Amino acid sequence: MTHTVLPVGFVPLVDAAPLIVAQEMGFAAEEKLTLDLRPAPSWSLLRDMLAFGQVDAAHMLSPLPVATALGMAGAGCEFSVLSVLSINGNVIGVSTELAAKITDQGHGFNFDDARAAGHALLSASNAPLRIGVPFPFSMHAELLYYWLNALGFAAPNAVDIRTVPPSLMADAIRAGEIDAFCVGEPWGSIAVEQGVGSLLLPSQAIWSFAPEKVLAVRRDWPEENAALAARLIRAIWRAGRWLADPSSRLLAAELMSSRRYLDLPPEILERALSGNLTITPQGRQRAVPGFLEFHNGAAGFPWRSQAQWIAQQIASRNGFDRKTAAAAGRQVFRSDLYREALKGTQADLPGASLKFEGALEVETPVASKAGTLSLLPNRFFDRQVFDPSDTS
């Protein structure tokens, strides 16, 4: 096996950890890979880097490859997903002014009740509420649309969802350009540290097992580079397993704090890895178990039902045929390649590629190769269940 240097793009976020760890802890080297990790300041630039061949793989928002399959997102080419890099990890935050109004109305910032937090947010804000997200086709946006729709607040005159690069979210709040945001860590915590915002809710309070970032490649790349794709999947799987060990958190935070990667204090990064978040400038804290998952509950498995949920959400919002969108979306998440790559490893993978999304209230054993796999709770805040066989 020859040693290969593989250019890989990423946006400086905590959920890029599997890529950074794979390179820095030697998991890539075990597969005779060197990951040439190249940062991008925005998702649109990273999308273009992948589309135009400046990188061969990328840390990517889970809905973006699905949107390209539906002819959206302006990529100029289609992408495939080799694995899920992270589950959850986003926060919804508000300006300090809006936080004060929400507090005055009696909301306790309990950080776990999406329904109560949503009503408190909308009742305290002026219409339209301006919410920043990192990209139009992102899990941030999908969860906001789902949440606000379920609460009856999605009318255009009630909510204005705007695009703001993650690293500029605190600046946008400070400048009064947005009232609230949904962003991946550490950028919510940075807004708190700078005294310009408070955190209202973790995204997992809306969907407790949402695929956040994925490992994306150009659609034809895995067929042209099958062995290389498998090596990359294995390296990332091992990195995710290492990250799942609580004893790895401090070292992971130190690795990511490097100027080459996030260039931020490790104590800020460790908050996301541990789920122990500081939610107000005054130091109020909340513990969020499972705030960010990289491995447990088959977190890396690219479920086709996850891609289909995303596709049908986008289709419904844009007037597309849901059945056609479902068929296109399912093909983006390559569970077949993931299974093939992890044959012969210790990975215990689910026997199916589709599942009911939102159906698990508690950790649940499921059929798997070795019979040892349990899936983590997977529920939507409104207790709806997504059936992938229903495309009506």
Side-chain angles (χ1 to χ4, degrees):
M1 184 188 300
T2 59
H3 195 98
T4 304
V5 177
L6 190 68
V8 180
F10 73 101
V11 169
L13 290 157
V14 175
D15 53 30
L19 295 170
I20 296 168
V21 164
Q23 176 58 27
E24 295 293 333
M25 294 300 296
F27 300 116
E30 288 180 26
E31 294 290 340
K32 298 293 191 290
L33 290 174
T34 295
L35 303 186
D36 177 13
L37 297 175
R38 303 180 183 181
S42 70
W43 292 110
S44 57
L45 180 56
L46 182 57
R47 172 203 61 198
D48 293 346
M49 288 167 63
L50 182 59
F52 293 113
Q54 294 174 328
V55 295
D56 287 330
H59 164 237
M60 188 171 280
L61 301 155
S62 58
L64 205 163
V66 177
T68 65
L70 303 184
M72 305 183 75
C77 75
E78 293 187 20
F79 303 125
S80 290
V81 167
L82 299 184
S83 71
V84 173
L85 289 178
S86 62
I87 297 293
N88 304 328
N90 296 326
V91 289
I92 296 170
V94 296
S95 67
T96 52
E97 179 184 2
L98 189 50
K101 292 180 180 178
I102 291 171
T103 300
D104 289 344
Q105 291 184 356
H107 184 68
F109 282 77
N110 295 329
F111 219 55
D112 59 0
D113 187 337
R115 191 173 299 277
H119 284 296
L121 173 61
L122 272 296
S123 63
S125 64
N126 297 318
L129 173 66
R130 302 165 302 166
I131 306 179
V133 299
F135 196 74
F137 298 104
S138 62
M139 190 52 67
H140 316 85
E142 295 306 328
L143 292 178
L144 284 175
Y145 285 125
Y146 184 90
W147 180 44
L148 297 172
N149 267 317
L151 296 176
F153 290 110
N157 62 347
V159 179
D160 176 12
I161 295 181
R162 303 181 174 187
T163 300
V164 180
S167 61
L168 300 180
M169 208 64 78
D171 293 339
I173 278 276
R174 181 186 294 106
E177 297 169 357
I178 54 175
D179 309 300
F181 56 77
C182 183
V183 72
E185 281 292 275
W187 299 108
S189 289
I190 292 298
V192 173
E193 287 296 299
Q194 294 182 1
V196 297
S198 294
L199 305 184
L200 178 67
L201 202 67
S203 62
Q204 73 194 79
I206 301 170
W207 181 10
S208 65
F209 202 79
E212 174 52 33
K213 301 301 189 309
V214 296
L215 180 64
V217 295
R218 292 178 297 281
R219 188 176 65 174
D220 57 354
W221 191 85
E223 278 65 41
E224 296 172 355
N225 301 274
L228 184 55
R231 289 155 62 188
L232 179 60
I233 290 170
R234 288 192 294 269
I236 297 304
W237 180 81
R238 293 188 180 103
R241 182 177 59 174
W242 183 85
L243 282 161
D245 185 342
S247 67
S248 300
R249 290 171 184 161
L250 290 178
L251 178 54
E254 288 286 349
L255 293 174
M256 289 189 291
S257 71
S258 164
R259 183 173 296 180
R260 296 192 305 277
Y261 302 128
L262 272 66
D263 194 20
L264 289 167
E267 55 268 23
I268 297 290
L269 308 181
E270 197 273 336
R271 293 179 191 178
L273 296 174
S274 67
N276 295 319
L277 301 177
T278 300
I279 68 167
T280 69
Q282 294 74 33
R284 184 182 299 181
Q285 296 189 327
R286 293 287 183 265
V288 186
F291 174 75
L292 183 57
E293 292 285 357
F294 298 107
H295 179 76
N296 295 325
F301 188 79
W303 291 93
R304 294 189 185 272
S305 50
Q306 293 173 336
Q308 185 178 329
W309 181 87
I310 294 167
Q312 291 186 229
Q313 293 294 308
I314 294 172
S316 295
R317 203 165 56 248
N318 291 279
F320 296 171
D321 180 75
R322 285 169 56 85
K323 186 174 183 178
T324 302
R330 277 197 303 268
Q331 301 308 310
V332 174
F333 278 34
R334 298 296 303 272
S335 51
D336 56 331
L337 298 180
Y338 191 82
R339 280 200 179 87
E340 184 65 27
L342 291 174
K343 281 182 179 178
T345 70
Q346 296 177 345
D348 192 12
L349 303 180
S353 296
L354 294 158
K355 67 182 189 303
F356 289 96
E357 300 295 344
L360 299 183
E361 292 285 337
V362 297
E363 187 171 344
T364 304
V366 295
S368 63
K369 182 178 69 173
T372 62
L373 178 63
S374 290
L375 299 185
L376 298 181
N378 181 344
R379 61 184 180 272
F380 295 101
F381 83 100
D382 58 356
R383 296 302 191 263
Q384 295 296 306
V385 174
F386 175 72
D387 178 356
S389 69
D390 182 5
T391 57
S392 59

